[in-house]
Amino acid sequence: MTTRSDLSGGASCDLRLLHATTIAGGQVTIDIQAERVAVLHAPDRLLPPAGREIDLGGALVLPGLSDSHVHLDKCMLGLDWRSHRAQGSVRAIIEDEKAFRRAHRIPLASQGAEALLERMLRGGTTSLRTHVDIDDVTRLDHLAQILDLRARWSDRMQIQVVAFPQSGILRCAPVAGDLDEALRMGADLVGGLDPVGIDGDRDGPLDTVFGLAERHGRGIDIHLHDGGEAGLDEIDAIVARTKASGLGGQVTISHAFALADADDLRLGRIADALREAGITLVSSVPGTRRCPPIPRLRDLGVAICFGTDNVRDCWNPSTVTGMIDRVLLAAYRFDLRSDADLTALLDPVTAVPAKVAGLGPGTVAPGMRADLVAFDAACAPQIVVERQEPVLVLAKGAVAIDRRGPVAGTTPSPA
């Protein structure tokens, strides 16, 4: 691992990556200074010494990958296997999960949050957005634990936290006040969930969510499982409120399953409205028929991010944690095979979430935090179809994961 204490006297940068290939196909030398990308040089340029050098041998370099929807507080990777038993409606699954939490008071880091972060980092994820349940069982305890975990992982992972009312707002009495306190404690966004399906009231929960966002100057991330007309009407209401509140660029709708129920004419109208309001959609690319038509929405100009959603928890036993795997799921789900389509599928895990979360340009460029991933691939589509893991992961300019072989290593540059 490279640290500031490793620097040679008079070094021009902390770390230099030689023979790096960009997504456009050209080779560059990347200088990293003070945890950020400082300069991209032409590969044949004569340069002054660096504190350390890594020869990537032509590896393809991307910005660190982003997971825009995960639940660190739910993950059970740290526990013995628990058979999946939640069935039926969203409400039924919520109640099953709350029963588990009442019976198992386990620190979240030990339950699986830490193990999940480690898996994600190995897969090249260096930033994420996690939802943390605020309800009558957890109250603010889980939030406090996740905020502590965020602080401990700040050198390896950029973590946004959503205060999430998993049990609803109207039907769970303490939640509205706890959401307000959660934002004071340091949650980055206020969440929402199925106003009609959970609370039985389209407008009441949205009043609370948008009111809190405006009062605290925070963004919004609303889960919408509701389908059909109810779900489409909720999307229309969120668009209208976003425009009225001036929160364009700060509102995200996760899942948006109802868009799978819209005919093409209505889908086009909603897509136009989402684009104009600056609302982002997040999808885990579910395998069911209710997956929104992601390629069509992308063609219509809607900003789309990908996330893992549930990992080994009461909702889903799956452990698909890598964002390259998630991209491949989208390629498979929508039968995308061309180089252009496969390359474009990397945007929902790089450029789009970087813009949405305020992380920078989402491309390898001067000024970005030096969170970088390198793949042993000739081109971007190869990364996707081969489900590659990165051979090198840098977090804040330090080597976090190195799989380049026994002779790999960070070596001092010549004096």
Side-chain angles (χ1 to χ4, degrees), residues 288-371:
T288 67
R289 64 177 180 82
R290 301 186 69 204
C291 182
I294 290 170
R296 176 68 174 142
L297 289 164
R298 184 189 62 199
D299 291 344
L300 292 169
V302 179
I304 298 173
C305 300
F306 292 157
T308 56
D309 199 5
N310 302 101
V311 176
R312 183 77 70 77
D313 60 18
C314 292
W315 290 70
N316 196 329
S318 172
T319 54
V320 180
T321 60
M323 296 316 298
I324 296 301
D325 283 335
R326 195 63 51 175
V327 169
L328 182 62
L329 287 175
Y332 182 77
R333 179 73 171 76
F334 294 104
D335 195 25
L336 301 175
R337 306 186 185 201
S338 73
D339 282 4
D341 282 340
L342 292 169
T343 301
L345 282 176
L346 291 171
D347 286 345
V349 299
T350 54
V352 179
K355 180 179 180 181
V356 170
L359 302 179
T363 58
V364 179
M368 69 171 287
R369 174 168 142 159
D371 296 340

Side-chain angles (χ1 to χ4, degrees), residues 88-110:
S89 67
V90 170
R91 283 195 185 192
I93 300 173
I94 291 170
E95 291 308 314
D96 175 71
E97 180 176 54
K98 290 171 75 172
F100 169 81
R101 285 178 169 167
R102 290 187 186 98
H104 301 83
R105 299 288 184 171
I106 304 166
L108 298 181
S110 300

Side-chain angles (χ1 to χ4, degrees), residues 29-207:
T29 295
I30 303 172
D31 278 3
I32 296 169
Q33 176 70 24
E35 302 175 352
R36 294 193 171 272
V37 173
V39 187
L40 302 184
H41 300 285
D44 55 352
R45 183 177 174 185
L46 185 62
L47 299 171
R52 288 290 186 272
E53 289 184 349
I54 295 177
D55 190 339
L56 293 179
L60 185 65
V61 177
L62 300 176
L65 308 179
S66 292
D67 186 330
S68 296
H69 186 127
V70 69
H71 294 267
L72 289 176
D73 63 326
K74 299 177 184 288
C75 181
M76 300 178 189
L77 280 172
L79 305 182
D80 292 338
W81 179 260
R82 178 184 185 270
S83 298
H84 182 68
R85 64 189 183 210
Q87 301 293 332
S89 67
V90 170
R91 283 195 185 192
I93 300 173
I94 291 170
E95 291 308 314
D96 175 71
E97 180 176 54
K98 290 171 75 172
F100 169 81
R101 285 178 169 167
R102 290 187 186 98
H104 301 83
R105 299 288 184 171
I106 304 166
L108 298 181
S110 300
Q111 179 178 300
E114 200 104 40
L116 178 53
L117 286 172
E118 289 168 357
R119 287 194 183 202
M120 296 171 82
L121 185 64
R122 291 198 298 269
T125 296
T126 59
S127 62
L128 62 88
R129 175 179 290 184
T130 184
H131 304 265
V132 181
D133 286 8
I134 309 292
D135 61 24
D136 53 342
V137 175
T138 65
R139 300 300 300 266
L140 296 167
D141 175 60
H142 282 192
L143 175 66
Q145 292 185 57
I146 294 299
L147 291 176
D148 176 69
L149 192 66
R150 176 174 71 179
R152 289 193 286 109
W153 271 75
S154 62
D155 61 332
R156 291 159 286 174
M157 191 80 67
Q158 297 188 77
I159 300 176
Q160 281 194 330
V161 176
V162 183
F164 179 51
Q166 178 72 88
S167 295
I169 294 175
L170 303 183
R171 68 189 291 263
C172 195
V175 165
D178 284 348
L179 288 174
D180 186 64
E181 181 60 24
L183 296 172
R184 298 181 195 281
M185 288 173 62
D188 301 289
L189 301 98
V190 58
L193 172 70
D194 297 336
V196 174
I198 297 299
D199 280 320
D201 180 341
R202 188 197 72 175
D203 293 318
L206 293 180
D207 287 342

Side-chain angles (χ1 to χ4, degrees), residues 21 249 274 307:
T21 302
L274 291 168

